[in-house]
Amino acid sequence: ANNKEKSHKYFNQVRIFTDKIKTQVYVANNAIPADPYNLKLYHVPDNTTRCRIHLKGKGKVYGISLETSTGVVVDNIPMRGCSGTIFTRMSGTPLINYFQTTNARLIIMQYGGNTIPYAKNTSSIDAYVKKLRQQVQYMRACAPYASILFIGPSDMSTRIDGKMTTYPMIPYLDQELQKMALEEHIAYWSMYDAMGGKNSMVNWVEKGLAGGDHVHFTRTGANHVGQMLFDWISNYQ
């Protein structure tokens, strides 16, 4: 941690997410006392460039976060290929502790795109949305004081009769996700509609906002989507 560095390179506290494992953080061979209100949070001195973490016992380590006491902290845990139905298989205890410790007030869930290529009919979509509803309900149970925003899938194109066109099940999935969100009293943002609806992905590819696979955004496209979401949240009433 160095207060002369730019903010995105600066951290002054280390948070360790574990269950029963005992933790200790050392700086220059000196043990750093844990925060009295959170035994897995350690405040490191300014100008620290290296610290050492000791773990003792048997259990699980869910993550290590380098943070500041103010500002925005972004931690990425890859969930590539995930359909979003994994949360109900997780223990609620670490989730509850995490949400309480970080004072989480907004949970954003974005799923659906990875399922679309394999969805063949409305029945499969109905079953999938039912599972996503269970995830939303589980998140609410773990963080009853937090708001939830669900983001639907983007437009995605596949080749049908020699022409790149929207996957047939995307409009129906988007529709059913909106219904689910309304019934569960959570916010919903239709990325599909925001992009322009049916066959909009083709236009995004032509503008360099999405890749040739007609599925993933380019960096420019991702930034554009992020700005659209920010604007929507800012203007949300």
Side-chain angles (χ1 to χ4, degrees):
N2 187 332
N3 55 15
K4 294 183 180 180
E5 293 287 339
K6 293 181 179 180
S7 60
H8 68 280
K9 294 182 179 179
Y10 172 81
F11 69 92
N12 60 6
Q13 60 189 37
V14 178
R15 189 189 304 269
I16 306 172
F17 300 99
T18 69
D19 44 19
K20 301 177 182 179
I21 295 178
K22 294 182 179 180
T23 64
Q24 183 61 65
V25 173
Y26 292 85
V27 174
N29 295 322
N30 296 318
I32 303 298
D35 187 283
Y37 300 103
N38 181 2
L39 298 181
K40 301 298 177 69
L41 178 65
Y42 300 86
H43 301 277
V44 298
D46 282 346
N47 299 317
T48 298
T49 57
R50 179 178 296 181
C51 63
R52 188 172 70 253
I53 299 174
H54 281 204
L55 305 174
K56 183 178 180 180
K58 184 178 181 181
K60 296 179 180 179
V61 177
Y62 298 100
I64 298 174
S65 180
L66 306 179
E67 307 174 357
T68 57
S69 55
T70 60
V72 177
V73 179
V74 178
D75 294 309
N76 294 299
I77 300 177
M79 299 183 72
R80 295 187 179 277
C82 181
S83 64
T85 59
I86 192 176
F87 299 103
T88 49
R89 301 202 299 272
M90 296 180 179
S91 170
T93 301
L95 285 175
I96 293 172
N97 290 339
Y98 172 76
F99 291 139
Q100 290 179 343
T101 300
T102 58
N103 192 29
R105 285 294 183 262
L106 174 63
I107 298 173
I108 301 177
M109 306 176 71
Q110 179 184 352
Y111 295 100
N114 290 324
T115 299
I116 282 298
Y118 310 101
K120 304 302 181 184
N121 50 51
T122 57
S123 296
S124 61
I125 294 294
D126 292 343
Y128 176 59
V129 173
K130 181 179 180 179
K131 291 181 180 179
L132 288 180
R133 183 191 297 270
Q134 294 171 348
Q135 312 308 306
V136 169
Q137 294 171 344
Y138 189 59
M139 283 296 166
R140 182 185 292 112
C142 291
Y145 41 80
S147 299
I148 299 177
L149 165 61
F150 200 103
I151 300 176
S154 67
D155 186 38
M156 298 163 53
S157 301
T158 187
R159 193 170 297 280
I160 299 177
D161 296 330
K163 183 179 180 181
M164 297 303 294
T165 188
T166 294
Y167 275 89
M169 288 293 104
I170 287 182
Y172 183 74
L173 174 59
D174 186 62
Q175 168 190 304
E176 292 305 302
L177 285 174
Q178 290 188 55
K179 288 182 180 179
M180 181 273 289
L182 182 63
E183 292 167 358
E184 293 298 324
H185 304 287
I186 65 173
Y188 183 80
W189 189 60
S190 172
M191 192 189 306
Y192 173 73
D193 285 343
M195 289 178 64
K198 187 173 182 179
N199 294 330
S200 57
M201 178 56 79
V202 174
N203 294 328
W204 280 56
V205 172
E206 292 175 350
K207 295 178 180 179
L209 299 175
D213 62 357
H214 288 71
V215 173
H216 297 97
F217 298 120
T218 61
R219 175 59 64 88
T220 301
N223 290 341
H224 184 57
V225 170
Q227 186 63 51
M228 288 196 301
L229 175 60
F230 176 80
D231 292 342
W232 179 81
I233 292 176
S234 299
N235 297 322
Y236 187 77
Q237 307 240 344

